[in-house]
Amino acid sequence: MSTEIKVPTLGESVSEATIGQWLKQPGEAVALDEPIASLETDKVAIEVNSTVAGVMGAHLAEEGATVTVGAVIATIEAGGAAAAAPKAAAPAPAVAAPATPVAPVEAASESSDPAVLSPAVRRAVLEYGIDPATIKGTGKDGRITKEDVVAAAQSRAASGAPVVPAAVAAPANERREERVKMTRLRQTIAKRLKSAQNDAALLTTFNDVDMSAVMEARNRFKDSFEKKHGVKLGFMSFFAKAACLALKDIPAVNAQIQGDEIVYFDYVDLSVAVSAPNGLVVPVVRNVDKMGFADIEKAIADYGKKAKDGALTMADMAGGTFTISNGGVFGGLMSTPIINPPQSAVLGLHRIEDRPVVRNGQIVIRPMMYIALSYDHRIIDGREAVTALKTIKEAIEDPTRLLIDL
């Protein structure tokens, strides 16, 4: 007896998805509610769980195929691990069993099998010359992520170990190309960002911030803060609260154009740009203007973990009135971030570095950060944008303003 596995409901206004990866191969035992496939929608990756326990039957759609809600994508056969042979319609295993027994290798895990690595991880493994069997996966169910491969490469470089390519090196004069189909998420990112350029009158204003006061406050209270709240005190909570001050003073920066109307929000739903294995995502911290530092840090940390595990939902990213993007974590010195439609502004943060500045007629060294505010000039005037960014700068340079709402 076989059970059909269908594409689940994907969320409001989402009718189709792409098979991103099969997590179970024909013939493998499957437990109840165990993930068997990963689907990529326009916004998130969604795992399809088995509705019964049994043995993985046939894959009725290949990786990369587009499927609709309700479509049958696989079958689960009745039986346990002993009944591992799929029906004739199911694809045969890629590798035949060896003629002689082979001792198991404990260091290698199922997630290190090239057949179950995602395309991004396979490319990273080849690029850095890392044996996937030596990598401990931090993704869901121990799967290897691209970040795991990069971390392993950095660790090997720091130890001075030689780089050994995972495959036979190509001749020096050989030129190669690789064509990889864009994921549905990457296609959506491309469309939305290009739409922002086409529809909005984009402009960016810059300023720099002396981070001395915030760094001193963080160093002074970080241990007691973590002990009391169970989360680390970072810089994002300071910038989130500073942004709330600016948006309250300059409502246009927290507004949107909808048709021929301008909608002003009396709340701040903060979209936080997070790097996930499949691309950039922007989960929303709701009512951040009413939250304390600890609540903000917890919300951002939870979203960061969910993004890394591929567990973000459509609801996590719905809405948002203003965005903060932190390119500084990757070492970016300055950028012109693109707004997240239909929002009208985005704050870009960058790396902190010691620079000479003039204070009271003296040249001193201070930890400085460039900040940028990209905005839609159709709704936000230059004076409003500059004033909002200046308000954020002043609040960061004197965090007391965050306490007295000034």
Side-chain angles (χ1 to χ4, degrees), residues 107-113 117 121 130-149 151-152 308-309:
S109 66
E110 181 179 320
S111 66
S112 66
D113 184 347
L117 297 179
V121 173
I130 299 292
D131 181 358
T134 65
I135 303 175
K136 182 178 180 180
T138 61
K140 191 172 181 64
D141 297 329
R143 291 198 292 275
I144 296 174
T145 67
K146 181 179 178 181
E147 288 74 11
D148 295 332
V149 179
K308 185 177 181 180
D309 294 341

Side-chain angles (χ1 to χ4, degrees), residues 132-392:
T134 65
I135 303 175
K136 182 178 180 180
T138 61
K140 191 172 181 64
D141 297 329
R143 291 198 292 275
I144 296 174
T145 67
K146 181 179 178 181
E147 288 74 11
D148 295 332
V149 179
V150 174
Q154 293 174 341
S155 176
R156 184 178 61 184
S159 66
V163 176
V164 180
V168 178
N173 60 348
E174 181 177 342
R175 290 153 54 92
R176 295 183 297 174
E177 295 180 355
E178 180 184 12
R179 292 181 181 270
V180 180
K181 184 178 179 180
M182 292 176 67
T183 64
R184 183 174 293 272
L185 175 60
R186 176 55 59 185
Q187 292 178 46
T188 301
I189 291 173
K191 291 177 182 177
R192 286 176 61 83
L193 294 182
K194 187 57 183 173
S195 174
Q197 286 185 320
N198 293 340
D199 297 339
L202 291 178
L203 193 62
T204 304
T205 183
F206 300 91
N207 214 319
D208 60 356
V209 178
D210 187 339
M211 297 291 291
S212 299
V214 165
M215 293 178 69
E216 181 181 354
R218 180 175 179 270
N219 290 334
R220 181 179 178 185
F221 296 111
K222 63 180 182 180
D223 292 335
S224 55
F225 184 91
E226 184 173 6
K227 182 178 180 180
K228 179 176 181 178
H229 300 292
V231 66
K232 294 182 178 181
L233 177 60
F235 296 129
M236 280 296 291
S237 53
F238 286 93
F239 278 100
K241 298 300 287 185
C244 289
L245 284 182
L247 301 182
K248 181 178 179 180
D249 290 346
I250 313 294
V253 182
N254 194 44
Q256 297 176 6
I257 295 178
Q258 296 184 8
D260 59 355
E261 297 178 330
I262 299 176
V263 181
Y264 295 92
F265 303 97
D266 66 352
Y267 55 87
V268 179
D269 283 353
L270 182 65
S271 300
V272 181
V274 177
S275 179
N278 291 330
L280 187 71
V281 292
V282 278
V284 180
V285 182
R286 307 188 192 282
N287 297 312
V288 71
D289 51 314
K290 296 179 175 61
M291 298 172 68
F293 279 68
D295 293 329
I296 295 173
E297 292 291 354
K298 288 177 182 178
I300 294 175
D302 288 344
Y303 277 141
K305 184 178 185 302
K306 291 179 71 174
K308 185 177 181 180
D309 294 341
L312 287 172
T313 65
M314 305 287 279
D316 290 334
M317 293 183 286
T321 63
F322 183 77
T323 296
I324 296 181
S325 176
N326 185 8
V329 296
F330 304 108
L333 177 64
M334 187 179 292
S335 68
T336 55
I338 299 179
I339 63 173
N340 179 25
Q343 298 174 20
S344 298
V346 53
L347 175 66
L349 309 182
H350 303 92
R351 76 169 184 252
I352 303 170
E353 64 177 6
D354 289 339
R355 290 202 297 269
V357 295
V358 177
R359 296 288 185 268
N360 300 320
Q362 300 293 320
I363 298 177
V364 295
I365 302 298
R366 290 286 188 269
M368 303 296 294
M369 175 196 288
Y370 289 117
I371 57 176
L373 184 73
S374 291
Y375 58 98
D376 188 346
H377 212 341
R378 296 177 302 167
I379 183 175
I380 303 171
D381 294 332
R383 177 186 61 83
E384 293 173 319
V386 171
T387 301
L389 195 61
K390 184 171 178 287
T391 299
I392 294 173

